[in-house]
Amino acid sequence: MIAKYSQKLQSLVYLATQRGKHQISLSLTTLSLRQSVIIASILITGLVMGMRQAGWLQFLELVTFDQMVRLQPDAGPNPRLLVVTITEADIKKQWPISDQTLSQVLANLQQAKPKAIGLDLYRNLPQPPGYEALIKQLHSPNVVTITKLADPDGEGVSPIPGLPAEQIGFNDLVVDQDGVVRRNLIYAQEGKDKFYSFSLQLSLKYLGKPRDALKVKSKALLLGNTVFPALSADAGGYQNIDNAGYQVMISYRSPEKVARQVSLTQVLQGQFDPNWVKDKVVLIGTTAPSLKDLLFTPYSAGETVNPGMPGVLLHAQLVSQILNTTLDQQSIFWFWPEWAEFLWVWTWALIGGVLAWRLRHPLLLGVAGAISAAILFSICFSIFTQAGWIPLIAPTLALAIAAGTVLGYKLLHHTLRDALTDLPNRNLFLKQLEWVIADTKLHKNSRFALLFLGIDRFKVINEGFGHQFGDLFLFNVSQRLKACLGNRGILARVGGDEFAILLKNITDSSEVTVVADQLQKEMSLPFKNNGQEIFTSISIGIAFNQTELDYQPIALLRDAHTAMYRAKDLGKGRHEVFATGMHTQVVKRFQLEIDLHRAIEQQEFFLCYQPIVCLKTSKIIGFEALVRWQHPQHGFVSPAEFIPVTEETGLIIPLGKWILKEACHQLSVWQAQFPADPPLMMSINLSGHQLSEANLVEYIQQILKETGINGKSLKLEITESVAMNDVEAAISILLQLRTLNLQLSIDDFGTGYSSLSYLHRFPVNTLKVDRSFVSRMEETDEDAAIVQTIIMLSHALGMNVVAEGVETAAQQAKLQVLGCEYGQGYFFSKPLDSKSATVLLDSQYTRVCYGVA
Ligand code: C2E
Ligand code: CA
Ligand code: CA
């Protein structure tokens, strides 16, 4: 898996060198969020480990080390030790303390039989009187004295002359850069010279072991079975420290009372319990603050009054640690190898990344981040109590940086990606287009194409089934488009129901139409959306780049968009290549939309009525209502032009309601004025959108009630293509309409490729033969045969026939011979306004009345 990402990373680096910095940030957004989390965490781990390597984190790691030392419980005084302190009161009496006094102290202590006495005082010069006596005391084999090794920038202090080597230990301490003592230099070696620390020497005396008992290996000291591993230069939070000799981290025992303390005066006066001394290690040293033998320890940061620890107490800590390690198996600080630290830091970077990826709410992310950091600290601390020092600052940093980076990436991702489909959004797509345009400028011959895809009738789906359903549908569409396109091009969502595809490096425009055909074919298969089968189609506009022209991305997208509009206008479910001149059409079309909105408000519509005539008697049996629009500037606008636009914009719903009401109202007037048997009929055209309106049936019912006309006098016309679009739905709505006793008719029959197998299931009364067949009836035998067949078919199915577009007497005669019941057309009358239609009805009525009379 890592190999896969590193490959991706390599290709990104390649991209960066190829295209410059600006573009890599955008290329990055082609990563999924999950990929970004993994890649970011690896990069950030590398970064943090690099900072660590450079030593930038050492200070903070040491600060937290100290914090954890202070958090540990106080282990109290070590019963193996006693410290004789030279206090402020002691030095007030005499300083330096005379040899005589000191030898008296040693003598008093020796009486109680300690195992070892450590004198943490430099006595290389005599302080008379009593020098002889002191030297004698110092020669007791259980006494250890100090020396200071010469370091590069200081003079050493030589040991008391004449004492055997076994009784001398160095008291040098290793101090970290921040002045704090955290390490114990136990032993060092230079050539043949061996150097034993004061604490080690005392411990050996206590253990009753000679110097030879210490085995020196290359990376550890061995004392009996106890191993003291030498500190490496990069151990724990350290980075490149001076780890000369053999050092271990100090396990501090207690901030103050590392051992029982008695003062020098008390010892001199014999005011101590001999049991405090018997078999113990006794250390003698100054604790008087004025002598300034104070050192900073991890406890110092917590102390404001006395931040320093007297040297003798610090040495007591060291002795205590060595003894507890050898005798009680107390563990020495351990550390992780570099690779384990890397994994550890990476883990936390991943956690930070995943949190930022998964959690949406910033507050939630903040809380989760804080909890993670707390968990991290408690893990580190509990390992610390088991003497393990593992990185704390590095993973905390990795956690925070990874969360921040992924959060930033997420925001960038959201500004450039569509949240619903995760496809590039319009902004990103335009950027990508910009690069491709720049690219084609460099390589003169390369061509590309832009496909603009619009889902046909999405509005109907979205409004009919609800937005959630619509979203799911869009997602499914995007998935199918993605799968169909593969890696042939870049897919983006550029609008609500609009997608765009960029096809690069095309050699032939037929390649593009092949893709468009494939997409269209794929989209015509039904979608299973929430268990519901949805049929749709897409209209595609195609724009090609012309290498000689200077293109703006937005202009190219607009061209493709325009071509898509054209494809929709030409009947949907098809593709059109952009051609100049399309823009003006589109602008016109937009203007039309605006005008239509106004027309509805201002009631610029009116209805015309075209008579439908009984061919046998030549009597008007009813009318077809046809809507008209009187545009204030352009005059009369054909319904063939504006009805499709009202359908696409949804304006057909209010307009259709008005038409229904108006036509019914007119019919009720005429029925009252011209009673007949059967009564006059009114045919009203119903668009597909009206048909899927939820409350259509109730609305018509209400109008019938208002106007008082019988449902039988009302005939609804739906075109054959609408009826066939979704057969089952159409049948179910038509059946509902039939409950109102309405008459139903299939309009433009013969143009919609009806499946005859469905026809008998439609609950309709009438077929209207399309005008195109009637008008050609006299010219070709085929059309005459078609008309004849339709008439026979409808009769066989129990329906009657209306022939549309009858223009000549010959047509009328022929239709009559073929048994067609009704006719409609200019031969009888053009559509008339209500006044003229009333006049026409009136003349017929008087004729009939005369006839009767
Ligand atoms: P349609 O429903 O097929 O309406 C018949 C069309 O044929 C009308 O055109 C009518 O004027 C025309 N026509 C009738 N007799 C003749 C003839 O002898 N010769 C010729 N050449 N044409 C004839 P119109 O009024 O322009 O309407 C066009 C289409 O617009 C209609 O076709 C219908 O689909 C739609 N439409 C018109 N009014 C409405 C309406 O109120 N609601 C809806 N939904 N659609 C309407
Ligand atoms: Ca009609
Ligand atoms: Ca028609």
Side-chain angles (χ1 to χ4, degrees):
M1 189 161 89
I2 289 180
K4 196 175 112 199
Y5 290 118
S6 79
Q7 233 177 25
K8 188 125 195 173
L9 215 67
Q10 270 175 8
S11 65
L12 284 178
V13 171
Y14 172 77
L15 260 179
T17 51
Q18 289 284 305
R19 295 176 154 182
K21 271 190 236 147
H22 173 61
Q23 291 177 7
I24 192 173
S25 69
L26 288 156
S27 311
L28 267 168
T29 63
T30 59
L31 293 174
S32 77
L33 273 173
R34 189 187 325 179
Q35 288 172 329
S36 80
V37 167
I38 293 173
I39 291 178
S41 66
I42 294 174
L43 291 177
I44 287 162
T45 306
L47 174 82
V48 170
M49 292 309 273
M51 290 167 70
R52 197 173 143 85
Q53 209 74 43
W56 298 353
L57 306 185
Q58 177 173 301
F59 172 72
L60 289 171
E61 292 285 8
L62 292 178
V63 167
T64 51
F65 176 92
D66 294 351
Q67 181 64 43
M68 291 192 285
V69 169
R70 291 198 295 275
L71 280 175
Q72 274 187 311
D74 186 342
N78 188 334
R80 294 191 175 107
L81 304 180
L82 176 74
V83 176
V84 177
T85 58
I86 300 171
T87 62
E88 208 66 61
D90 294 325
I91 62 170
K92 246 184 212 143
K93 285 182 205 154
Q94 184 185 21
W95 188 255
I97 289 162
S98 72
D99 291 342
Q100 190 179 28
T101 312
L102 206 52
S103 70
Q104 186 60 52
V105 169
L106 288 171
N108 287 4
L109 289 170
Q110 290 288 20
Q111 263 177 6
K113 298 205 173 356
K115 277 203 176 156
I117 298 177
L119 189 63
D120 186 23
L121 291 170
Y122 295 121
R123 303 297 294 194
N124 44 346
L125 296 173
Q127 303 292 341
Y131 184 64
E132 311 285 286
L134 178 62
I135 293 297
K136 200 170 158 234
Q137 279 296 337
L138 291 178
H139 270 86
S140 311
N142 66 343
V143 175
V144 177
T145 60
I146 51 168
T147 177
K148 187 168 167 33
L149 300 176
D151 55 24
D153 40 47
E155 284 277 295
V157 180
S158 45
I160 298 163
L163 284 179
E166 294 250 338
Q167 283 182 250
I168 300 166
F170 63 81
N171 73 339
D172 301 57
L173 291 166
V174 203
V175 182
D176 282 335
Q177 255 176 5
D178 56 357
V180 176
V181 182
R182 299 185 184 88
R183 296 174 272 155
N184 179 7
L185 173 60
I186 305 182
Y187 174 83
Q189 203 165 359
E190 206 177 283
K192 281 226 165 97
D193 298 332
K194 300 172 172 181
F195 304 99
Y196 293 73
S197 72
F198 182 53
S199 54
L200 174 65
Q201 194 58 67
L202 273 170
S203 303
L204 286 172
K205 292 277 179 218
Y206 181 87
L207 297 168
K209 296 202 169 164
R211 281 185 160 189
D212 299 347
L214 192 73
K215 299 269 175 301
V216 181
K217 305 277 173 202
S218 72
K219 283 186 175 151
L221 292 178
L222 269 109
L223 187 57
N225 294 330
T226 311
V227 184
F228 293 88
L231 200 69
S232 74
D234 292 336
Y238 281 126
Q239 217 56 243
N240 296 319
I241 46 157
D242 173 12
N243 66 331
Y246 290 78
Q247 308 179 7
V248 294
M249 297 298 294
I250 301 169
S251 301
Y252 277 96
R253 185 180 176 88
S254 154
E256 280 154 43
K257 295 275 181 197
V258 62
R260 185 194 300 280
Q261 295 172 16
V262 293
S263 73
L264 190 78
T265 314
Q266 277 176 298
V267 177
L268 272 175
Q269 296 170 356
Q271 292 170 347
F272 63 96
D273 182 343
N275 285 327
W276 296 350
V277 178
K278 192 170 177 344
D279 292 337
K280 313 270 162 167
V281 177
V282 181
L283 288 103
I284 306 170
T286 59
T287 57
S290 62
L291 291 179
K292 299 209 169 68
D293 178 22
L294 295 170
L295 293 136
F296 289 120
T297 66
Y299 298 112
S300 302
E303 289 289 333
T304 42
V305 188
N306 295 316
M309 185 179 276
V312 68
L313 294 183
L314 191 49
H315 285 291
Q317 298 267 11
L318 305 184
V319 176
S320 159
Q321 179 180 10
I322 295 174
L323 292 182
N324 286 355
T325 308
T326 40
L327 296 173
D328 307 336
Q329 283 76 46
Q330 177 196 300
S331 41
I332 294 281
F333 264 100
W334 50 265
F335 319 94
W336 274 343
E338 200 79 354
W339 61 264
E341 291 187 343
F342 187 94
L343 285 183
W344 171 244
V345 174
W346 187 30
T347 305
W348 289 94
L350 267 179
I351 291 173
V354 169
L355 288 180
W357 168 37
R358 281 295 161 100
L359 301 180
R360 282 170 187 224
H361 203 284
L363 190 72
L364 208 62
L365 178 62
V367 171
I371 292 175
S372 311
I375 292 174
L376 171 59
F377 182 80
S378 15
I379 294 175
C380 286
F381 182 64
S382 50
I383 289 179
F384 191 84
T385 58
Q386 306 303 312
W389 187 23
I390 61 168
L392 170 61
I393 294 300
T396 310
L397 215 57
L399 177 84
I401 299 179
T405 307
V406 171
L407 193 69
Y409 181 76
K410 204 160 99 172
L411 293 178
L412 180 71
H413 194 87
H414 284 329
T415 57
L416 296 173
R417 295 227 152 216
D418 169 46
L420 178 66
T421 60
D422 203 35
L423 291 174
N425 64 12
R426 192 187 166 85
N427 290 342
L428 180 56
F429 187 73
L430 285 173
K431 269 282 170 234
Q432 285 164 326
L433 203 54
E434 197 178 303
W435 306 336
V436 174
I437 290 173
D439 236 32
T440 45
K441 271 190 195 146
L442 288 179
H443 311 97
K444 278 278 178 274
N445 290 325
S446 71
R447 292 190 68 198
F448 67 88
L450 196 63
L451 275 63
F452 202 105
L453 286 65
I455 304 174
D456 299 327
R457 288 177 290 273
F458 177 72
K459 228 183 196 144
V460 181
I461 296 169
N462 207 31
E463 279 162 13
F465 293 96
H467 289 259
Q468 234 175 342
F469 188 91
D471 280 355
L472 180 65
F473 178 67
L474 279 174
F475 179 77
N476 288 337
V477 167
S478 76
Q479 292 304 101
R480 194 180 285 183
L481 287 175
K482 218 194 257 175
C484 180
L485 184 66
N487 48 19
R488 289 182 290 179
I490 299 170
L491 175 68
R493 183 176 174 211
V494 293
D497 59 344
E498 293 165 339
F499 296 86
I501 291 174
L502 179 61
L503 294 178
K504 289 192 277 185
N505 302 325
I506 48 170
T507 47
D508 188 349
S509 48
S510 69
E511 278 174 44
V512 180
T513 43
V514 166
V515 174
D517 281 334
Q518 278 177 356
L519 291 169
Q520 262 155 350
K521 200 170 144 211
E522 198 66 27
M523 298 308 283
S524 65
L525 300 174
F527 279 89
K528 264 257 184 280
N529 215 39
N530 255 351
Q532 189 124 20
E533 278 212 336
I534 297 284
F535 288 85
T536 190
S537 58
I538 48 170
S539 299
I540 302 180
I542 302 171
F544 289 98
N545 74 313
Q546 283 161 297
T547 34
E548 63 277 8
L549 290 182
D550 206 10
Y551 264 115
Q552 288 299 313
I554 191 92
L556 210 57
L557 195 66
R558 191 194 54 203
D559 286 355
H561 194 187
T562 304
M564 187 219 45
Y565 259 118
R566 187 78 191 131
K568 283 209 174 192
D569 276 354
L570 292 176
K572 307 195 176 82
R574 53 187 292 157
H575 51 78
E576 283 295 314
V577 177
F578 174 78
T580 32
M582 277 187 181
H583 281 312
T584 36
Q585 284 170 338
V586 167
V587 171
K588 233 174 105 183
R589 160 69 213 251
F590 274 127
Q591 190 57 48
L592 190 64
E593 271 183 32
I594 296 168
D595 290 353
L596 273 172
H597 275 281
R598 190 207 51 226
I600 288 196
E601 277 168 26
Q602 316 257 319
Q603 298 203 338
E604 290 167 13
F605 297 103
F606 65 94
L607 290 184
C608 274
Y609 303 93
Q610 187 175 31
I612 297 172
V613 176
C614 171
L615 292 179
K616 219 186 262 171
T617 61
S618 293
K619 260 175 55 187
I620 296 172
I621 59 123
F623 293 87
E624 176 176 1
L626 293 162
V627 70
R628 295 291 176 260
W629 179 18
Q630 190 62 38
H631 192 287
Q633 281 97 42
H634 309 311
F636 170 75
V637 184
S638 161
E641 202 176 318
F642 70 79
I643 289 288
V645 181
T646 60
E647 286 178 343
E648 241 158 69
T649 52
L651 285 173
I652 189 68
I653 301 296
L655 180 61
K657 281 184 173 170
W658 176 80
I659 292 168
L660 270 167
K661 199 173 193 161
E662 179 70 15
C664 287
H665 180 73
Q666 183 63 63
L667 181 63
S668 73
V669 172
W670 280 336
Q671 280 185 348
Q673 205 174 344
F674 309 106
D677 187 27
L680 281 172
M681 304 248 330
M682 184 64 79
S683 290
I684 298 174
N685 295 289
L686 215 60
S687 100
H689 293 258
Q690 284 175 281
L691 214 55
S692 42
E693 255 279 280
N695 54 6
L696 175 71
V697 179
E698 288 83 359
Y699 184 73
I700 295 177
Q701 190 170 24
Q702 188 198 332
I703 288 178
L704 291 179
K705 212 167 138 195
E706 273 172 29
T707 53
I709 53 176
N710 191 321
K712 259 192 145 164
S713 309
L714 195 61
K715 190 180 269 187
L716 299 180
E717 297 190 1
I718 61 164
T719 63
E720 187 186 9
S721 47
V722 165
M724 287 300 152
N725 187 33
D726 189 349
V727 175
E728 298 303 331
I731 290 176
S732 114
I733 295 167
L734 294 182
L735 283 173
Q736 287 176 48
L737 290 170
R738 284 300 291 262
T739 59
L740 299 181
N741 245 342
L742 299 177
Q743 307 248 6
L744 299 169
S745 149
I746 293 189
D747 205 355
D748 302 348
F749 192 79
T751 58
Y753 312 104
S754 280
S755 168
L756 293 182
S757 56
Y758 286 129
L759 200 56
H760 74 279
R761 293 183 51 209
F762 279 111
V764 296
N765 316 80
T766 306
L767 288 189
K768 289 185 88 171
V769 185
D770 191 64
R771 196 173 72 223
S772 54
F773 303 111
V774 176
S775 62
R776 291 193 300 256
M777 208 166 62
E778 292 161 294
E779 293 158 26
T780 69
D781 291 341
E782 285 92 348
D783 284 300
I786 290 174
V787 174
Q788 185 178 12
T789 312
I790 294 175
I791 293 170
M792 279 161 58
L793 175 70
S794 44
H795 288 168
L797 294 174
M799 306 172 187
N800 54 38
V801 183
V802 177
E804 291 188 297
V806 182
E807 292 184 349
T808 63
Q811 286 168 351
Q812 190 225 4
K814 182 119 194 214
L815 285 163
Q816 208 179 340
V817 170
L818 292 176
C820 179
E821 284 90 354
Y822 308 105
Q824 178 186 356
Y826 294 171
F827 176 68
F828 306 109
S829 167
K830 288 204 166 188
L832 305 168
D833 60 33
S834 59
K835 237 189 211 156
S836 316
T838 309
V839 171
L840 183 67
L841 271 178
D842 196 40
S843 71
Q844 171 176 307
Y845 198 73
T846 34
R847 223 170 47 226
V848 171
C849 288
Y850 277 127
V852 169

